[in-house]
Amino acid sequence: MDAVSDRPIEAGPHDPDWWRGAVIYQIYPRSFQDSNDDGVGDLSGIIHRMDYLQKLGVDAIWVSPFFRSPMRDFGYDISSFRDVDPMFGSMGDFEALIHRAHSLGIRVLIDLVFSHTSSDHRWFKESRASRNNPKSDWYVWADPKPDGSPPNNWLSIFGGSAWEWQGERMQYYLHNFLIAQPDLNFHNPDVQEELLNVARYWLDKGVDGFRLDVVNFYFHDKELRDNPPLPPEQQNDNTAPSVNPYNFQDHLYSKTQPENLVFLQRLRAVMDEYPAITSVGEIGESQRGMETQREYTSNGRLHMAYDFDFLSTVYPSGSRIREVLERFERIVTEGWACWALSNHDVERWASRFGLNEMERKLYAAILMTLKGTVCLYQGEELGLTEAYVSYEDLQDPYGKRFWPKYKGRDGCRTPMPWTQDHYGGFSDARPWLPVAVEHLDRAVSVQERDLGSTLTFYRSFIAFRKTLPALAKGDLTIIAADEARLVLTRNDGITLVFAAYNLSGAPLTVALPDGQWTPRDDAPFAVDFGDGTVEIGPYQGAFAVSAAGQ
């Protein structure tokens, strides 16, 4: 039987290019909607909220891991790649989710975590049992130094050495993340084949693509060479908090190895066997992020990738946005960008950048005006801030390790507030993380009644964006960018779109470029067009269109 022909119905007309400029909504299942009142969100909950996602106007959802797991890293420690964890429901629930999403024209991406497994995975249990079993080389094992210390100086991104001693084999194993997340050995061709088959399994289930977790961590240096120190002036907190000594090394050998390029070509070949599939890779690389994006999205590898330029703590002023975009165009000459301001691993951007309500709407519009695909993280359409989670309620092992200077990732993972009820309509039982009291006033039920709400703005702007295909796929030219403004055009060869944003609290006058311009008064901003100029109020934007090539 041809598995590809047995896939569920597609989400719409066949368009292999649908992902360029798409708006993808990330769902963290534990915190989206609980359907069975156990305090944890689940797949059925996502199905029940699918109408909300359709009304928001997103093109696709990215569902964070729901695979069987002991949940030491809340699903990113997988103990079975082909099973749904009972906490989230059943395989039938997942198949129903695919069907419901596709019937509404929404595509579904899932989060593949290939770099490591849980230490509870049967592969690891077999691998650690001896040095000569069939899976003995499926993980990264190494002998100690003569003095018993780890094989090299590699550090875990969750703190401490990246090596853990295992008494059964009398060797160390590599874990770039938690001790309970041993790294798979991608130098073993059997490991590669098995993971490619995992991808096929979910493609046969009907998924429309993958978000690939820490995609540059797959391979390690076979010689296990020490990482060199990183000069202090080159250190940043893009991929690890500043309190983490992980930032003190230049990770030349523990990740981002050249062998990964060949594997990504093999993975792309598998995806190309299926219709209209896409992939987005997470690049965890603080020093060479865009260079890695270029390599990973060229020559038939990933469709797109992202690093942490706009997920970092650097304020996105007009100058900063210009610098990032121009650097991307200069370096990533073939690839396609994927931009995000928030996800499940970073502080919510409303808090990270200290934005008022008007600025939250403004920067949402800016994000969706950039050239590239957009990822929205659940709750940012409500303007949610980072929630405070006390140490007693903390779940994240990362936060527990570096508390109190780094409080972990729980503050961006608290439950979605659907109503103003005690648990925000997320559950009738006490949730796995507390619902932030301040989020209740931003609940969906509240904002749906307010035409001036952040949720209403997101819905309006996404709908407006769909009326201008140039905003999805057109070329981008920056006209002006500084602390007070960002002015640009998008051009798809048919329509030239002019967009101007006032990033300041004072009125701004911007001149329109030469040509015949038609104001777009249906944009969700209040502006005043004059003769060749536009008056833009504080934290507002303006749009006009012209025929391309005029």
Side-chain angles (χ1 to χ4, degrees), residues 6-13 18 47 50 53-54 58-61 94-110 202-209 275-277:
D6 291 338
R7 277 168 51 90
I9 61 167
E10 299 299 322
W18 68 267
I47 295 170
M50 202 65 72
L53 299 169
Q54 183 191 39
V58 300
D59 301 294
I61 56 174
F94 180 76
E95 291 167 351
L97 187 156
I98 290 282
H99 180 81
R100 179 61 175 155
H102 284 187
S103 71
L104 296 176
I106 298 173
R107 290 179 164 88
V108 179
L109 279 62
I110 64 170
W202 291 104
L203 289 166
D204 289 342
K205 289 289 183 185
V207 303
D208 302 286
I277 301 302

Side-chain angles (χ1 to χ4, degrees), residues 36-56:
N36 61 356
D37 294 329
D38 63 356
V40 178
D42 44 49
L43 297 177
S44 181
I46 298 173
I47 295 170
H48 288 306
R49 295 296 184 181
M50 202 65 72
D51 288 340
Y52 169 82
L53 299 169
Q54 183 191 39
K55 191 173 181 180
L56 184 59

Side-chain angles (χ1 to χ4, degrees), residues 313-509:
T313 57
V314 181
Y315 189 85
S317 64
S319 302
R320 166 67 172 173
I321 293 171
R322 178 175 206 158
E323 182 271 324
V324 171
L325 296 183
E326 290 183 345
R327 179 158 44 91
F328 184 90
E329 288 296 317
R330 185 176 68 253
I331 295 174
V332 189
T333 52
E334 293 182 43
W336 184 260
C338 183
W339 304 115
L341 293 171
S342 283
N343 66 26
H344 65 292
D345 281 333
V346 299
E347 182 181 5
R348 287 191 177 274
W349 60 275
S351 297
R352 198 165 76 244
F353 302 135
L355 304 183
N356 64 37
E357 195 73 20
M358 295 175 70
E359 289 174 299
R360 294 174 206 182
K361 298 175 184 177
L362 178 75
Y363 276 98
I366 290 174
L367 175 67
M368 290 185 277
T369 308
L370 303 182
K371 180 183 179 181
T373 296
V374 175
C375 279
L376 305 178
Y377 177 54
Q378 66 180 46
E380 70 177 86
E381 76 276 14
L382 305 178
L384 297 188
T385 53
E386 185 82 354
Y388 173 76
V389 179
S390 68
Y391 186 81
E392 290 71 26
D393 289 324
L394 204 67
Q395 303 291 324
D396 185 14
Y398 206 173
K400 291 179 180 179
R401 178 68 184 264
F402 290 105
W403 182 278
K405 290 204 170 180
Y406 174 64
K407 296 179 173 61
R409 302 163 295 178
D410 286 344
C412 69
R413 298 177 175 183
T414 55
M416 273 282 287
W418 299 99
T419 67
Q420 285 187 292
D421 299 343
H422 182 52
Y423 294 139
F426 166 74
S427 178
D428 288 336
R430 181 179 179 179
W432 75 287
L433 281 175
V435 176
V437 174
E438 65 272 19
H439 288 180
L440 296 179
D441 289 338
R442 292 183 171 274
V444 172
S445 64
V446 175
Q447 296 203 34
E448 285 189 322
R449 300 192 300 267
D450 181 2
L451 295 180
S453 71
T454 302
L455 174 59
T456 299
F457 180 88
Y458 268 79
R459 288 173 172 174
S460 299
F461 194 88
I462 292 173
F464 168 73
R465 186 178 184 268
K466 289 183 176 180
T467 69
L468 293 171
L471 289 182
K473 294 183 171 69
D475 291 333
L476 183 147
T477 301
I478 294 179
I479 298 173
D482 53 34
E483 305 312 297
R485 77 196 69 204
L486 177 66
V487 184
L488 55 86
T489 60
R490 299 291 306 276
N491 187 349
D492 65 355
I494 300 172
T495 304
L496 183 63
V497 179
F498 169 84
Y501 292 104
N502 182 356
L503 311 183
S504 74
L508 178 69
T509 301

Side-chain angles (χ1 to χ4, degrees), residues 115-117 124 140 154-165 172-184 217 246 401:
S115 71
H116 54 267
T117 71
F124 185 71
V140 184
W154 296 352
L155 296 175
S156 162
I157 203 166
F158 279 3
S161 172
W163 296 96
E164 177 70 7
W165 179 251
Y172 284 94
Y173 67 84
L174 178 67
H175 61 92
N176 271 298
F177 299 92
L178 291 178
I179 289 173
Q181 292 172 304
D183 275 47
L184 285 162
F217 280 75
Y246 186 85
R401 178 68 184 264

